[in-house]
């Protein structure tokens, strides 16, 4: 019930804003219409397309073969399908490149040159990222004024940066590159930024996937297999977040339908019912019964209402961009796409990859990846 009371606190705040937004009089309308600028129906259709894709059955079979047992509800969060190096070995690889956050910051121009950025761009962008250690998860902040740089925060081990800190830093570096390009390289100041948070998440996921290449432990054949493995992992992670996203959206709809009759008990009942229905429709066949209502337990629903779908959108966009990048110049395309500016998401995607936001590239590449891996 405590979680539901926290939900109601968010509802109370949202309602306080409703009367001040005549054109977007609900939290849902503001999230989709003002922040994402993607219609609610399009986002819901994307989530459903992902969750209802036939390839999910093949993915479930792969999971079962790796786990050597029938799948259970908590396995929706299992995405560690492929062999990885020992943690100490990975930490040692990072140590060869940089011991701590200060060394990583100093080597950013070198890292960017290794990813194909020109000397001029590598020096310009690499010297405008400040690397620090956060107490919690990673974080990236764009320049608030053109005269300032971007801010990267990651975590570390006690005596070194370590693989986890480096991997997180590469994710945040993707954010920073988007932030810097969309600040300095857009056609005019009014266009600074990207359409929404999903667009910047796309570059964060893209550059995080390059972490092993930066360390020099991934050759061409390994990169090809890594593309397939990353595609499968992306599909798994996108679906694991698409389920809770759909539950959250439907619950918020019911909250507004209830109006003044909505209270913490009603929120709890709605959340549990939606978790059961989404599970029955999209997860039951592969993962069996869910006694936990696991799709309704995501912390973001309380701390960042209606944000969850940004991760599903971001991973979908990220894969579209990553698939588009194959055989192309990573640095040149990163600069070009991130320089489009803060236009509508649909216009941004069409200019970036030549087509609208769609689950199709991820679904098709997942099927190809499963065939290659097998």
């Amino acid at each position: 019930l405590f979680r539901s009371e926290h939900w109601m606190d968010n509802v109370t705040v949202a309602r306080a804003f409703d009367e001040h937004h005549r054109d977007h009089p609900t939290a849902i309308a503001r999230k989709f219409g003002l922040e994402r600028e993607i219609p609610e129906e399009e986002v819901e259709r994307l989530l459903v397309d992902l969750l209802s894709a036939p390839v999910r059955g093949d993915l479930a079979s792969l999971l079962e073969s790796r786990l050597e047992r029938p799948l259970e509800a908590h396995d929706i969060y299992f995405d560690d399908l492929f062999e990885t190096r020992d943690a100490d070995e990975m930490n040692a690889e990072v140590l060869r490149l940089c011991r701590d956050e200060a060394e990583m910051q100093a080597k950013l121009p070198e890292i960017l040159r290794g990813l194909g950025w020109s000397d001029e761009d590598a020096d310009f962008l690499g010297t405008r990222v400040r690397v620090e250690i956060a107490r919690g998860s990673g974080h990236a902040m764009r320049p608030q004024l053109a005269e300032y740089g971007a801010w990267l925060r990651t975590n570390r081990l006690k005596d070194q940066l370590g693989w986890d800190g480096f991997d997180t830093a590469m994710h945040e570096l993707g954010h920073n590159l988007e932030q810097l390009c969309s600040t300095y390289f857009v056609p005019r100041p009014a266009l600074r930024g990207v359409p929404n948070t999903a667009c910047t998440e796309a570059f964060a996921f893209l550059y995080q996937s390059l972490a092993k290449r930066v360390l020099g432990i991934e050759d061409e054949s390994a990169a090809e297999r890594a593309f397939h493995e990353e595609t499968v992992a992306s599909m798994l992670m996108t679906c694991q977040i698409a389920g809770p996203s759909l539950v959250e959206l439907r619950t918020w709809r019911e909250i507004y339908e209830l109006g003044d009759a909505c209270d913490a008990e009603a929120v709890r009942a709605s959340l549990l019912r939606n978790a059961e229905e989404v599970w029955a429709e999209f997860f039951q066949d592969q993962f069996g019964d869910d006694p936990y209502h696991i799709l309704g337990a995501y912390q973001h629903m309380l701390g960042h209402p209606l944000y969850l779908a940004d991760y599903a959108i971001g991973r979908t966009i990220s894969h579209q961009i990553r698939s588009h990048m194959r055989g192309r110049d990573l640095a040149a395309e990163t600069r070009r796409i991130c320089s489009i500016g803060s236009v509508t998401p649909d216009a941004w995607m069409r200019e970036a990859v030549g087509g609208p936001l769609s689950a199709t590239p991820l679904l098709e590449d997942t099927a190809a990846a499963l065939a290659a891996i097998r």
Side-chain angles (χ1 to χ4, degrees):
L1 187 58
F2 171 77
R3 288 177 60 85
S4 303
E5 290 172 348
H6 198 134
W7 262 78
M8 276 306 300
D9 290 340
N10 290 330
V11 172
T12 300
V13 172
R15 286 174 173 168
F17 280 92
D18 290 349
E19 61 184 286
H20 300 289
H21 291 268
R22 191 169 301 173
D23 295 332
H24 301 87
T26 68
I28 301 171
R30 291 190 292 278
K31 174 60 73 172
F32 289 91
L34 293 180
E35 294 182 35
R36 288 196 183 107
E37 294 186 294
I38 305 175
E40 176 186 343
E41 296 76 15
E42 287 187 20
V43 173
E44 183 173 23
R45 184 164 60 249
L46 175 71
L47 299 176
V48 171
D49 285 349
L50 289 162
L51 292 173
S52 60
V55 75
R56 289 192 66 223
D58 297 327
L59 275 174
S61 297
L62 179 62
L63 287 175
E64 281 194 336
S65 69
R66 295 300 169 93
L67 292 171
E68 298 182 340
R69 60 167 173 77
L71 297 181
E72 302 177 42
H74 56 82
D75 292 324
I76 66 169
Y77 294 115
F78 179 74
D79 50 41
D80 189 17
L81 276 171
F82 306 106
E83 290 184 11
T84 58
R85 296 192 178 199
D86 177 75
D88 289 339
E89 184 180 346
M90 292 302 296
N91 291 338
E93 294 288 354
V94 174
L95 189 58
R96 291 189 184 94
L97 178 68
C98 53
R99 170 169 291 280
D100 56 20
E101 64 277 9
E103 283 192 22
M104 182 175 183
Q105 177 175 314
K107 290 195 173 182
L108 283 178
E110 176 186 330
I111 289 172
L112 293 181
R113 278 192 288 272
L115 290 174
W117 289 84
S118 68
D119 289 343
E120 182 181 1
D121 283 348
D123 289 336
F124 181 85
L125 299 171
T127 56
R128 281 167 173 78
V129 178
R130 176 181 173 185
V131 182
E132 292 186 354
I133 298 302
R135 290 184 179 273
S137 58
H139 176 68
M141 182 176 289
R142 67 181 311 107
Q144 297 303 306
L145 295 172
E147 293 78 12
Y148 293 89
W151 194 20
L152 186 161
R153 303 189 78 196
T154 186
N155 50 67
R156 60 168 293 167
L157 300 174
K158 183 177 180 180
D159 59 346
Q160 58 183 289
L161 185 60
W163 166 248
D164 186 61
F166 183 75
D167 186 52
T168 299
M170 287 298 299
H171 179 95
E172 305 307 334
L173 179 62
H175 280 302
N176 292 145
L177 291 172
E178 172 275 303
Q179 293 163 349
L180 291 166
C181 290
S182 66
T183 296
Y184 291 105
F185 302 148
V186 290
R188 55 187 59 88
L191 287 175
R192 285 175 181 162
V194 289
N196 55 39
T197 54
C199 295
T200 188
E201 289 292 351
F203 281 91
F205 291 131
L206 172 63
Y207 275 79
Q208 185 174 13
S209 73
L210 303 174
K212 291 179 182 177
R213 188 197 300 186
V214 170
L215 294 177
I217 56 176
E218 191 174 82
D219 59 23
E220 282 193 24
S221 62
E224 180 69 14
R225 182 173 179 83
F227 178 84
H228 293 314
E229 292 180 354
E230 182 66 24
T231 297
V232 170
S234 290
M235 182 61 183
L236 288 171
M237 288 185 280
T238 304
C239 288
Q240 72 181 215
I241 207 73
S245 300
L246 199 55
V247 169
E248 182 182 30
L249 174 58
R250 293 179 178 179
T251 300
W252 270 97
R253 283 178 183 159
E254 292 181 8
I255 286 171
Y256 274 100
E257 289 168 4
L258 286 169
D260 292 339
C262 182
D263 58 17
E265 287 285 1
V267 170
R268 182 175 185 274
S270 175
L271 181 63
L272 294 180
R273 182 177 61 256
N274 283 310
E276 290 171 358
E277 291 176 357
V278 171
W279 184 269
E281 185 174 0
F282 299 114
F283 293 89
Q284 181 83 35
D285 288 347
Q286 291 89 27
F287 295 89
D289 294 332
D290 172 27
Y292 318 108
H293 296 93
I294 199 168
L295 298 181
Y298 220 99
Q299 183 64 25
H300 273 61
M301 295 180 186
L302 303 181
H304 306 278
L306 291 167
Y307 186 91
L308 278 178
D310 281 337
Y311 290 115
I313 298 168
R315 285 199 174 276
T316 303
I317 292 175
S318 178
H319 184 80
Q320 281 187 265
I321 291 174
R322 196 163 62 94
S323 187
H324 166 82
M325 292 283 194
R326 298 191 82 189
R328 291 183 169 90
D329 187 317
L330 170 73
E333 284 297 281
T334 297
R335 174 169 175 153
R336 180 187 68 81
I337 294 171
C338 294
S339 301
I340 294 169
S342 186
V343 296
T344 66
D346 184 66
W348 192 86
M349 283 298 296
R350 291 178 188 275
E351 180 69 19
V353 299
L357 170 65
S358 171
T360 300
L362 178 56
L363 299 180
E364 290 179 348
D365 285 348
T366 299
L370 289 173
I373 289 168
R374 285 171 179 164

